[in-house]
Every structure is written in structure tokens, then in C-alpha cells.
């Protein structure tokens, strides 16, 4: 379960919650409604997180997955020829 922090009634500055941010995902709420998510970068990095939210990158990944599902793949030898020629 994710921890929730109600912004309007938070008893400490966000900087005091920093250790909790390192360990778990925190949902920030305002008047009971989720408004933001603080995600720990413990097992990730900011670049990966940024890419996961980039619509162009997501489109590329979805296209590649669809090609794979439909059998549109290359063998290692075919890939080498395509790249090295």
C-alpha cells in the first residue's frame, strides 16, 4: 500500500519526508484527491523515469512490441547486415 500525505494538513515540510521518499511511493493529496505521486528512484534513475513518461518513446516501444507480436523480427545476422552495410 502506498503512503498518502494530505498536503493541506502535512505537519512537516516535504524535506522532512525525504527518507520515506527513498523507500516507497508517496501519493500527495489535496482535499482527499490525489494530485501528485512521489516515486523513489532507489532502483531506477531519473532518465528512465523521464523516458517512461515521454509519449514519443512510448509510441516507439508500442510499435516495436506490435512488430514483435506479428512476427516482424530480424535474426542477429540480418541485423548485423542491416547495420554494417
Amino acid at each position: 500500500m502506498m503512503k498518502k500525505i494530505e498536503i493541506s494538513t502535512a505537519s512537516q515540510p516535504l524535506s522532512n519526508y525525504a527518507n520515506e521518499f527513498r523507500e516507497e511511493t508517496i501519493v500527495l493529496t489535496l482535499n482527499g484527491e490525489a494530485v501528485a505521486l512521489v516515486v523513489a528512484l532507489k532502483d531506477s534513475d531519473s532518465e528512465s523515469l523521464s523516458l517512461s513518461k515521454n509519449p514519443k518513446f512510448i509510441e516507439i516501444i508500442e510499435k516495436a512490441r506490435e512488430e514483435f507480436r506479428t512476427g516482424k523480427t530480424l535474426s542477429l545476422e540480418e541485423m548485423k547486415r542491416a547495420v554494417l552495410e
Side-chain angles (χ1 to χ4, degrees), residues 23-42:
E23 299 300 322
E24 60 184 310
T25 300
I26 310 290
V27 178
L28 300 179
T29 62
L30 184 59
N31 300 321
E33 182 180 336
V35 294
L37 190 66
V38 179
V39 179
L41 294 176
K42 180 179 176 185

Side-chain angles (χ1 to χ4, degrees), residues 1 3-4 6-7 13 21-22 26 29 34 37 47 49-52 56-57 62 69-71 74 76 82 85:
M1 184 172 187
K3 180 172 184 167
K4 293 182 182 180
E6 173 61 40
I7 295 171
F21 295 160
R22 287 188 180 107
I26 310 290
T29 62
L37 190 66
E47 190 173 273
L49 183 60
S50 178
L51 281 174
S52 74
K56 182 73 175 168
F57 181 75
E62 287 174 355
R69 275 193 294 276
T70 61
L74 294 175
L76 179 57
E85 292 179 353

